[in-house]
Structures are given as C-alpha cells and as structure tokens.
Amino acid sequence: MQAVIMAAGKGSRLGDLTKGMPKAFAEIKGKKLIEYNIDLLHSFGIYDIIIVTGYRNDAFEELLKDKDGIQLVYNPFYEMVNVLGSFFVGMNNLTDNFIYMHADTLCTPKILENLVKLRADINLPVTFSFCDEEAMKVRTENGKIVEISKQIPLQKSEGEFIGIASFKKKVIPKIKQHTKKLMEEKDFASYFEGVIQRLIDYEDFEIALESTDNEFWCEIDFMEDYIRACKTIPEELLNIT
C-alpha cells in the first residue's frame, strides 16, 4: 500500500507558529505534523510515501534525507493552485492501493486502521455533527454519500469529511482522468474532493462511509485548531515512533 500526503502549504494563517518553515513543520509536543503522519503510516507497514511539497521544499529534503521510502514531489505552482493542483503533480507516482492525507491533519490509529482494511473501492471517514462554513461537508441519501463540498448549505449538511481517505488500485485510472479534466478546465481552485464528487457522479465504484465514532482527529488551519490539538492529542499518537 502507498500513501500520498499533501504538504505544499505555507500555513500563513498560523502566524509565527511555523517560523518561516512549511505548515507541516508545526510542532505538537516537540514533534512535527509531518512526522506524526509518517510514523503513523509506518506503524501500519506503509513505507511507500509520496509527499507533495511546495513552500520550503528544501526543508523537507533536509528533514527526510535519511528516511527510506519517501518520494518528494515538488509542486512549483503551489501558490497558484489549490490542493487538487498539488495532487495532479504527484498522482503519476501512484500505482497501488493508497491512503490520501493532508500533512496538517492528524488522526488516531483506529481511523487509519479502518481505512487500511479497504472495505470498499473508496473509503471516506466522516464525523457526523454540526459543521461550520469552513468544513468539507457531506450529504447522504440512503446511507451513501451523494455530495461532498464546502458549499453544501449548513442546514443540509450531515457531517464533515476529515480529509483522509483510502482508495483501491483500480480507482487510480479514473482519479487521474478526472483530475486531469479539472486541470484542463482550469479549475485551479478545486480541492481533491472535487475529484471525489466526480467519482460519485460519473463512476460506479463502491464507496464506504466510515464514521469516525468520536475518535480524535484534527485539521490545523488556525491557531485555535493548534491550541485544541495540543490539549487533546491522545497518548496513542504521542507514543507512535
């Protein structure tokens, strides 16, 4: 199994926290976000890891120079595109079942364990709760996700997709096809979820909705996210090496 981690961001909304380093270098309890995710993947035997970088690519090269199995893919257009543009740069390295992650998002081993099981072709963890406008919201029908977007009205949203997912190898050609199509349409502001929506709308893959069941996860965009993560990160994540 492979993993691809989106790590191009600067993290400007975190102020001085990153001190001129990439957002993925923000530290919780003395450990960088990117290190948490790499160690978590390693704990499940996933060593073929693609990291798409942008801001301060040199810092990743220095940090990970002695790590086996890491493929750094530099997105020189990271300031001009959203997450899907970074995925486009790294997607050709995908050849197997894979985990999709964001460097600024942490989750417990239990959430990743459910994804590694690959119950379906596409596996999407969702927290069922009230969402804010910034959340990547989901809407379901008959227990299946039919819409995934930040633009879903709050009154129609049923929960939040956490930005971590798993995909079987057979989905990769269609992921690449729809990603390329969005780039050809110059939809440079698109999130990766734009491709997931196309897979929902136009393809016939089995998609499993995985409830996070109150397991810890956090996306660190703002200082309040960082402070909350520092206070609530569980010991099981701190102890993974």
Side-chain angles (χ1 to χ4, degrees), residues 37-89:
N37 279 317
I38 290 172
D39 287 347
L40 180 61
L41 290 167
H42 283 178
S43 73
F44 283 90
I46 302 171
Y47 284 85
D48 187 350
I49 302 172
I50 302 150
I51 302 177
V52 183
T53 67
Y55 178 68
R56 289 298 310 274
N57 175 64
D58 61 303
F60 286 97
E61 291 178 337
E62 178 61 26
L63 177 70
L64 303 173
K65 62 184 179 182
D66 297 323
K67 287 272 191 182
D68 292 333
I70 303 290
Q71 303 177 62
L72 294 180
V73 181
Y74 175 59
N75 174 16
F77 311 109
Y78 71 93
E79 292 184 293
M80 307 172 196
V81 297
N82 208 329
V83 179
L84 188 62
S86 284
F87 180 79
F88 176 75
V89 171

Side-chain angles (χ1 to χ4, degrees), residues 95-110:
T95 58
D96 199 355
N97 303 332
F98 73 95
I99 301 290
Y100 171 90
M101 310 179 75
H102 293 265
D104 64 356
T105 301
L106 303 180
C107 73
T108 63
K110 181 63 176 177

Side-chain angles (χ1 to χ4, degrees), residues 41-234:
L41 290 167
H42 283 178
S43 73
F44 283 90
I46 302 171
Y47 284 85
D48 187 350
I49 302 172
I50 302 150
I51 302 177
V52 183
T53 67
Y55 178 68
R56 289 298 310 274
N57 175 64
D58 61 303
F60 286 97
E61 291 178 337
E62 178 61 26
L63 177 70
L64 303 173
K65 62 184 179 182
D66 297 323
K67 287 272 191 182
D68 292 333
I70 303 290
Q71 303 177 62
L72 294 180
V73 181
Y74 175 59
N75 174 16
F77 311 109
Y78 71 93
E79 292 184 293
M80 307 172 196
V81 297
N82 208 329
V83 179
L84 188 62
S86 284
F87 180 79
F88 176 75
V89 171
M91 69 182 185
N92 285 336
N93 294 59
L94 292 170
T95 58
D96 199 355
N97 303 332
F98 73 95
I99 301 290
Y100 171 90
M101 310 179 75
H102 293 265
D104 64 356
T105 301
L106 303 180
C107 73
T108 63
K110 181 63 176 177
I111 291 176
L112 196 65
E113 178 184 354
N114 288 337
L115 293 178
V116 169
K117 290 177 181 176
L118 287 169
R119 292 191 178 98
D121 301 324
I122 301 169
N123 304 274
L124 307 175
V126 173
T127 293
F128 290 96
S129 65
F130 176 78
C131 299
D132 58 27
E133 293 286 356
E134 180 70 15
M136 185 59 67
K137 296 175 283 293
V138 299
R139 185 172 63 84
T140 69
E141 291 179 5
N142 300 317
K144 295 184 178 181
I145 293 178
V146 295
E147 188 176 3
I148 181 167
S149 171
K150 287 192 175 187
Q151 278 66 55
I152 297 174
L154 291 179
Q155 64 271 22
K156 293 185 177 181
S157 168
E158 297 169 60
E160 179 177 4
F161 168 56
I162 73 170
I164 304 172
S166 63
F167 299 84
K168 287 186 178 177
K169 177 181 178 178
K170 69 177 185 179
V171 185
I172 292 176
K174 289 298 183 181
I175 290 178
K176 291 179 178 179
Q177 175 187 319
H178 289 294
T179 299
K180 182 180 178 183
K181 183 64 175 175
L182 284 168
M183 292 296 98
E184 288 174 344
E185 294 171 1
K186 295 181 169 48
D187 192 358
F188 301 138
S190 183
Y191 295 90
F192 181 68
E193 288 79 6
V195 168
I196 296 177
Q197 186 64 56
R198 289 199 172 205
L199 295 174
I200 293 170
D201 292 340
Y202 303 124
E203 308 299 339
D204 192 29
F205 293 116
E206 182 186 7
I207 302 175
L209 188 159
E210 299 276 0
S211 173
T212 57
D213 290 330
N214 297 317
E215 288 286 328
F216 169 88
W217 71 275
C218 64
E219 178 185 11
I220 299 172
D221 282 329
F222 303 98
M223 276 303 298
E224 53 263 37
D225 301 326
Y226 174 76
I227 292 168
R228 183 167 59 252
C230 289
K231 290 180 178 178
T232 59
I233 188 169

